[in-house]
């Protein structure tokens, strides 16, 4: 479901009700193409991917409709639902990464997902502790840096792997609010 050409567009959405909606998997998952499941989501369908446990971290990578000039999302929310097949041996890392090619803002969420659907919503401004330079220990991003990234998004990634060892991650209900 995508509302893009309306003067009153309010959000870009991937609800995964019919397919993977263009999302791909990057990193050490078993396939770049996610598994689409038509039930078990929150609600309805969702996508999942399996970890190869070879050492890297894998991410969900957003399709084109989430990219480009999303400057009207500044001050609005990015929300999504995640779940994991296990919660033992979880580790912290970059959970959300948004880049314009020259600057990347990243976020380490306070809590990792559970085995049931866990809903997240983060604000795309300085009220959320976005870091720059693609490291979670980096400097806090300024409003200008966040807006610069949102004005020309070339990559939006959400972490799918949270467990050391093999596991399966699920993604549902990605929403990027805008005006």
């Amino acid at each position: 479901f995508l509302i893009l050409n309306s003067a009153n567009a309010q959000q870009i959405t991937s609800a995964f009700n019919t397919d993977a909606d263009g999302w791909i998997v990057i990193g050490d998952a078993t396939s770049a193409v996610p598994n689409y499941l038509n039930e078990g989501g929150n609600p309805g369908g969702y996508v999942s991917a399996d970890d190869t446990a070879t050492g890297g971290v894998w991410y969900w990578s957003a399709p084109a409709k989430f990219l480009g000039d999303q400057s009207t999302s500044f001050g609005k929310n990015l929300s999504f639902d995640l779940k994991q097949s296990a919660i033992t041996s979880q580790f912290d890392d970059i959970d959300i990464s948004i880049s314009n090619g020259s600057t990347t803002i990243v976020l380490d969420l306070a809590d990792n997902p559970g085995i049931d659907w866990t809903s997240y919503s983060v604000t795309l401004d300085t009220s959320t502790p976005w870091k720059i330079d693609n490291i979670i220990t980096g400097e806090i991003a300024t409003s200008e840096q966040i807006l610069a990234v949102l004005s020309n998004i070339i990559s939006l990634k959400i972490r799918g792997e949270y467990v050391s060892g093999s596991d399966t991650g699920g993604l549902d209900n990605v929403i990027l609010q805008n005006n």
Side-chain angles (χ1 to χ4, degrees):
F1 178 67
L2 170 66
I3 302 174
L4 194 57
N5 295 324
S6 167
N8 297 318
Q10 296 296 308
Q11 62 192 24
I12 300 168
T13 303
S14 285
F16 306 110
N17 290 327
T18 57
D19 58 26
D21 201 28
W23 285 79
I24 60 170
V25 180
I26 56 173
D28 80 333
T30 56
S31 172
V33 179
N35 302 308
Y36 171 72
L37 295 98
N38 63 2
E39 58 185 29
N42 194 28
Y46 72 103
V47 289
S48 76
D50 300 313
D51 179 24
T52 61
T54 58
V57 177
W58 65 265
Y59 287 83
W60 301 105
S61 183
K65 69 183 180 181
F66 287 89
L67 308 180
D69 183 357
Q70 301 298 339
S71 56
T72 60
S73 293
F74 183 80
K76 305 291 190 287
N77 292 332
L78 170 66
S79 60
F80 51 91
D81 298 334
L82 295 173
K83 74 174 184 174
Q84 292 293 295
S85 60
I87 56 172
T88 57
S89 303
Q90 284 191 332
F91 62 93
D92 285 330
D93 207 321
I94 294 169
D95 294 321
I96 304 169
S97 172
I98 307 172
S99 180
N100 68 3
S102 60
T103 302
T104 301
I105 58 172
V106 298
L107 184 65
D108 178 12
L109 298 166
D111 299 307
N112 291 334
I115 57 173
D116 294 318
W117 288 107
T118 305
S119 297
Y120 297 94
S121 183
V122 297
T123 306
L124 297 163
D125 65 18
T126 58
S127 68
T128 298
W130 292 97
K131 305 291 180 82
I132 58 167
D133 298 330
N134 205 25
I135 53 174
I136 57 177
T137 58
E139 294 180 31
I140 297 287
T142 65
S143 292
E144 292 78 15
Q145 289 166 323
I146 295 169
L147 188 56
V149 169
L150 294 176
S151 295
N152 185 28
I153 298 174
I154 65 164
S155 170
L156 187 157
K157 300 183 292 188
I158 299 170
R159 183 160 64 125
E161 175 183 3
Y162 288 83
V163 174
S164 294
S166 59
D167 65 309
T168 301
L171 175 70
D172 202 1
N173 301 317
V174 183
I175 300 170
L176 179 62
Q177 294 178 333
N178 58 30
N179 285 348

